[in-house]
Amino acid sequence: MEVIILDTAEEAEQFAASIILSKISKESHARLGLATGRTMEGVYSHFVDAHERGLNFSNIRTFNLDEYIGLSPANEASFYHYMDEHLFKKIDMPLENICIPHGRALDIEVEIKQFEEAITHAGGIDIQLLGIGNNGHIGFNEPPSSLSSPTRVVTLSEETRRQNAGAFGGNLGRVPTKAITMGLRTILRARQLLLVATGSHKANAIANAVEGPIRATVPASAIQLHPDPWIVLDREAAQNLEFIDYYKAQAGGSERVADQLQFIYQYMN
Ligand code: F6R
């Protein structure tokens, strides 16, 4: 487990982006798992900058974690629309390389099956980007979620619906109650996990996910079962970690972290 603690949210977003951008610069056909949410906006702005500096995204394939049931891709509150606004329309990825569960599929079970098959067919996900909910969810795997859950339909908690109500004009009644989410089992199959969290409102969820017992009521704690999870935090999100000094010492001596800092220095400043 690599836990990397940066001073500010901006630095954490830049560091997280650098992990994916350096992968793309080495492997133009990389397969990425993507997330939505406020934390990711800063991360994707670095993707757009990299594209403007000449990085080629045209062979990248992406799989998004989740989508609300009942919303079409054109709906401004859909995660498809979010991805289009923050990333896809600003880079050179062909539409056929984008895979996001369709919230208004005629047959949701077929949609779910096809989503899982598309990941398998692509050869699996190289890096899965993750945010974390205040309640410890990843994707829309709400507490409690089976640690080996597949992609499925879930009921959203009221806390999550409140957290996301901003995209619905602040009107909780308009936030869908159900969603499709990539399951924890599918997330854990990605070759690398990259969890990003910023702000003191994430501090409890991060401490529980990284250092607490692995349990269904903290779905993000499933990352402890993964062989190569990276957790990128700002100081505020890291404040409740018991082993904070250890993580800092470990990151300070890590060649992989040094390589990322070098990449940032060379290509992102
Ligand atoms: C959305 C998703 C969620 C968010 C999480 C954090 O695709 O997967 O798990 O990553 O709710 O959201 P923000 O960044 O808005 O705090």
Side-chain angles (χ1 to χ4, degrees):
M1 178 162 349
E2 295 269 10
V3 180
I4 295 122
I5 301 163
L6 285 310
D7 277 341
T8 65
E10 290 72 27
E11 286 173 276
E13 290 156 6
Q14 184 186 47
F15 191 92
S18 80
I19 294 173
I20 294 183
L21 295 174
S22 61
K23 176 82 177 174
I24 296 174
S25 66
K26 283 184 267 183
E27 272 180 52
S28 63
H29 286 71
R31 290 138 299 188
L32 307 176
L34 300 181
T36 62
R38 280 175 292 273
T39 317
M40 298 305 150
E41 291 176 18
V43 176
Y44 295 144
S45 71
H46 290 289
F47 287 25
V48 175
D49 286 350
H51 170 63
E52 282 165 6
R53 290 182 199 179
L55 189 67
N56 173 16
F57 285 80
S58 65
N59 295 312
I60 298 301
R61 299 207 53 181
T62 61
F63 300 89
N64 263 78
L65 284 168
D66 39 19
E67 181 59 283
Y68 295 107
I69 289 192
L71 301 195
S72 70
N75 188 307
E76 288 191 4
S78 72
F79 285 163
Y80 192 102
H81 188 265
Y82 169 104
M83 290 306 304
D84 207 32
E85 282 297 303
H86 292 286
L87 187 63
F88 296 146
K89 76 178 186 195
K90 297 178 175 169
I91 59 173
D92 55 342
M93 264 189 61
L95 279 182
E96 62 269 24
N97 289 7
I98 296 167
C99 185
I100 302 182
H102 198 303
R104 292 192 66 175
L106 288 178
D107 188 329
I108 294 286
E109 287 310 317
V110 170
E111 179 68 13
I112 286 171
K113 189 163 173 279
Q114 287 175 347
F115 180 76
E116 288 273 7
E117 282 171 0
I119 295 173
T120 306
H121 190 247
I125 290 173
D126 294 310
I127 305 181
Q128 176 66 55
L129 193 52
L130 299 166
I132 186 170
N134 302 353
N135 65 356
H137 74 213
I138 48 175
F140 269 149
N141 292 280
E142 296 280 49
S145 279
S146 157
L147 299 176
S148 55
S149 50
T151 298
R152 68 201 184 288
V153 173
V154 289
T155 299
L156 298 174
S157 67
E158 185 164 327
E159 186 176 0
T160 292
R161 291 176 61 236
R162 280 191 196 285
Q163 185 187 311
N164 290 0
F168 298 85
N171 183 344
L172 183 64
R174 287 183 51 219
V175 185
T177 56
K178 293 204 179 282
I180 301 176
T181 186
M182 191 188 288
L184 293 175
R185 183 178 68 196
T186 316
I187 290 172
L188 290 176
R189 280 189 190 139
R191 283 176 270 282
Q192 187 180 351
L193 298 184
L194 176 53
L195 175 64
V196 194
T198 57
S200 56
H201 58 299
K202 298 289 173 74
N204 273 339
I206 282 296
N208 287 331
V210 176
E211 296 177 340
I214 300 171
R215 57 190 202 269
T217 49
V218 183
S221 65
I223 61 169
Q224 296 177 39
L225 296 167
H226 191 274
D228 193 22
W230 288 55
I231 296 106
V232 180
L233 308 170
D234 70 352
R235 208 178 336 139
E236 291 188 350
Q239 67 192 352
N240 292 354
L241 289 169
E242 188 184 337
F243 290 84
I244 197 158
D245 293 334
Y246 176 77
Y247 303 131
K248 285 183 178 165
Q250 178 180 253
S254 161
E255 262 179 44
R256 299 197 297 175
V257 172
D259 284 350
Q260 283 313 133
L261 293 171
Q262 178 65 19
F263 181 88
I264 291 173
Y265 177 73
Q266 265 187 303
Y267 300 108
M268 293 177 74
N269 281 317

